[in-house]
Structure formats: structure tokens, C-alpha cells
Amino acid sequence: MRAARLIKMVLLLQSRPSMTAAELARELEVSERTITRDAQALSEAGVPVYADRGRAGGYRLIGGYRTRLTGLARGEAEALFLSGVPGALREMGLEDAASAARLKVSAALLPSLRDASKTAAQRFHLDAPNWWSEPKTPELLPAIADAVWDDRRVIARYRKGEAEVERELEPYGLVLKAGVWYLCARVPEAAGAYRVYRIERFTAVDAREERFARDEEFDLPGFWEEQAERFARSILRAEVVVRLSPDGVRRLPYALADRVSAQEALEGAGAPDGDGWVTVTVAVESEKVARTQLLSLGPEVEVLAPEGLRARFVEDARRLAGLYGT
């Protein structure tokens, strides 16, 4: 533990002109007294750490000293590529690895470039979760992430409906979609089929010692895109026919959860009628869901079919008239 701290202290001093004891203590999460002892230990080991006295003093490296301890470990290098998603790194338990990787890169850069990480962080930030949703980190995410990095088989238990199911899985990759974590895994007992699991439904994960042979042809982004599109299409099991005013046409993509199906419906619309309204057929999850979504369009939409949904809109219109008057 101390050796790693001493290395980090050298890298910090190498990446900056000087640092006070308080700044080093804050970065290394130790006391200022510990910083004093560590600086002395480094000096005795031949690292030219110099202490400037006085109110504006601090610690610095002298003589253009450059450490060779800047090589990235595999885990640090992999984490560095994800450093634009700090929340995801933290949830997977990789925040420390990413921090060490960024520090090593900073120490290896020219002095004129050492503020690159700071300037980039002040210009770009990724906030993955949706608005008005409280992101929750699945308790088993770090354990699953470790298995993904190490290509280790896992015995997993997860909720499937009202029951719990146990499976042996080969965890290939993790996906963070709108604040929700998913695992893409190969299932040996299902003839090596790849499947997607929502991580918050896992109740237990036991990583085995043996590693699996990863299929190098597997493309995680491509697989996820295909699965996401298939899922989106699979839930659109019904169709509704509606008339839309010009304002309704503009608002339809925002009223439906699936903007793609809304856009496809609008692209297949016929010419506007004499009042400027168009008739479209929209793929929806169900009549119940369609009712909730289309009601947000108010008088800018008229349901033509199916008849049951139109009858519900008629009843809704009557109730609204009763509340607000005719």
C-alpha cells in the first residue's frame, strides 16, 4: 500500500511544478505528517524531492527528474478508454484504476499539455441517466464487471417473472442504456447462444476460477444494436389509425415512446385532407399504452381505429367535458 502511494506521490510531483503538503495529503488521502515521512523516504531512496519552506512553500522534484514508472497496466489502459463516463467507472469499481491511468498519462505528457485532462473535463461531460429518474447501481455490478474483464465463467441466479433461475454464463460485455445496466453473455447450455440480462435482476453471482475462450468475432456494439432494435420491434404488437392536425404531426414523435415508429408512420402518411389533417397508421405496444400516449395530444388527434380505442377516447372526451363544461 505504501509503495503504491509513494509511486503516486512521485507522479503527482512530476506532473506539476510543486505541491503543498496539504494538496498532496488531499490527493493521497493521508495526513500531512504522513506526507512528510513519505517525502523523506523518497529522498533516502534517491528520488530528488525538495521541500520549499515558508507559507508559499511545498514539495517539488529537482534536476529535471523523470520517473520511468509511467507504463500503463492493462486494467488501467482499459479503464482509461472509459474515462469519459466517470459515473459508469465508479459503479463498476474502476474509478481508482482510471485515476491512476490518467495520472500516469499526465506525468508522461509535455508540461504544456498537462492541463489537457482538466480542460477536456470542463468542456465535455456525459450524464447517462434519463431526466427525472434516480439511477441505482446494481449491488452485483462490480462482481460482474470483474468477471467480464477477466473472461471468467459465472454461476448466476436471476429473477425471471415470479421465479429464480440459475444459469452458467460467459459474460462478454456490459452495456449502460439510459442509466440501466445490461449484461451480454453467452449461454453454454443453450448451444452457445448470446443473450441479454438486466443486471438489477441478478440475485447472486459466483465467479469461477476457469476462464472461457472469448470468440474474437463477437462485436459488442453490433450485437447490442441488433438486440435493441429487435426488442423495440417485438413490443410493438398493435396498430392504431389516427388523424392528426398539423400541430399533432409535429408533436407525435414526442408523444410516443418509440420515436422511430412515429417517424415511420408519418413518412407513410397520405396527402393532407381539406382541413390539413393527415391519416397515419402507427405501431404501438398495446391499445392501453396508445391511449395513455395519444391523450397527450389532446384535440390534435382523432382515433379512427380500432373501434375499442376510439370508444375509450369518446368516453374520455365526455368526462373532460363534464369537468370543464361544454
Side-chain angles (χ1 to χ4, degrees):
M1 179 67 73
R2 190 190 186 198
R5 188 176 70 244
L6 292 174
I7 291 172
K8 188 172 183 179
M9 183 173 176
V10 173
L11 292 171
L12 284 168
L13 293 174
Q14 184 174 306
S15 64
R16 306 177 192 181
S18 68
M19 295 183 69
T20 66
E23 290 172 334
L24 285 168
R26 185 166 55 252
E27 289 279 356
L28 300 175
E29 299 180 348
V30 294
S31 67
E32 293 186 31
R33 181 172 295 182
T34 298
I35 293 298
T36 302
R37 290 197 296 265
D38 286 352
Q40 183 178 353
L42 287 172
S43 181
E44 293 173 354
V47 179
V49 178
Y50 182 78
D52 292 314
R53 304 297 179 184
R55 179 175 298 179
Y59 293 93
R60 60 186 175 89
L61 295 174
I62 61 175
Y65 180 84
R66 304 288 296 177
T67 177
R68 295 179 179 272
L69 299 172
T70 54
L72 290 177
R74 170 173 289 274
E76 294 168 346
E78 291 169 333
L80 185 62
F81 285 103
L82 296 173
S83 59
V85 196
L89 283 169
R90 184 171 54 254
E91 291 177 7
M92 288 189 292
L94 296 173
E95 188 174 28
D96 289 343
S99 175
R102 287 192 293 268
L103 182 58
K104 289 182 178 181
V105 170
S106 178
L109 291 175
L110 294 173
S112 60
L113 299 177
R114 286 177 186 161
D115 65 342
S117 61
K118 181 178 179 181
T119 57
Q122 295 305 317
R123 285 164 173 79
F124 302 99
H125 177 68
L126 176 63
D127 186 8
N130 281 329
W131 288 103
W132 304 294
S133 62
E134 184 67 27
K136 295 182 180 179
T137 303
E139 182 179 348
L140 296 174
L141 176 60
I144 296 174
D146 285 343
V148 170
W149 288 123
D150 292 340
D151 294 337
R152 293 188 184 278
R153 285 191 173 93
V154 299
I155 302 298
R157 293 187 62 82
Y158 64 96
R159 296 187 299 273
K160 188 175 182 180
E162 299 297 323
E164 277 198 3
V165 180
E166 184 174 282
R167 291 282 187 274
E168 180 179 6
L169 303 175
E170 296 177 353
Y172 264 66
L174 293 168
V175 175
L176 177 60
K177 171 72 171 179
V180 180
W181 283 96
Y182 297 88
L183 171 68
C184 300
R186 185 165 62 183
V187 187
E189 64 185 70
Y194 294 96
R195 293 178 180 169
V196 176
Y197 299 88
R198 189 161 173 157
I199 291 183
E200 64 184 23
R201 294 178 181 169
F202 283 90
T203 59
V205 173
D206 180 22
R208 306 180 66 177
E209 289 298 322
E210 62 178 302
R211 289 181 168 87
F212 61 89
R214 177 178 286 268
D215 180 0
E216 298 301 329
E217 298 297 320
F218 179 78
D219 174 28
L220 179 60
F223 172 76
W224 175 259
E225 182 178 0
E226 178 183 330
Q227 292 298 309
E229 182 177 356
R230 182 180 300 173
F231 172 76
R233 295 301 177 188
S234 70
I235 64 174
L236 301 179
R237 302 186 181 93
E239 287 186 343
V240 298
V241 182
V242 298
R243 287 180 69 239
L244 296 167
S245 70
D247 190 42
V249 169
R250 180 183 62 81
R251 291 166 51 189
L252 182 65
Y254 303 96
L256 300 183
D258 187 345
R259 292 194 178 188
V260 175
S261 64
Q263 194 59 45
E264 289 177 350
L266 294 174
E267 290 173 356
D273 59 21
D275 297 323
W277 288 50
V278 297
T279 300
V280 300
T281 301
V282 186
V284 296
E285 184 175 346
S286 66
E287 290 186 26
K288 181 179 180 180
V289 172
R291 179 188 180 190
T292 301
Q293 295 174 347
L294 293 175
L295 276 172
S296 67
L297 296 178
E300 309 304 324
V301 62
E302 178 189 1
V303 175
L304 302 179
E307 188 58 38
L309 182 59
R310 181 178 175 86
R312 291 188 180 91
F313 267 71
V314 170
E315 179 60 26
D316 290 333
R318 288 174 178 161
R319 292 177 62 190
L320 283 171
L323 288 173
Y324 294 101
T326 58

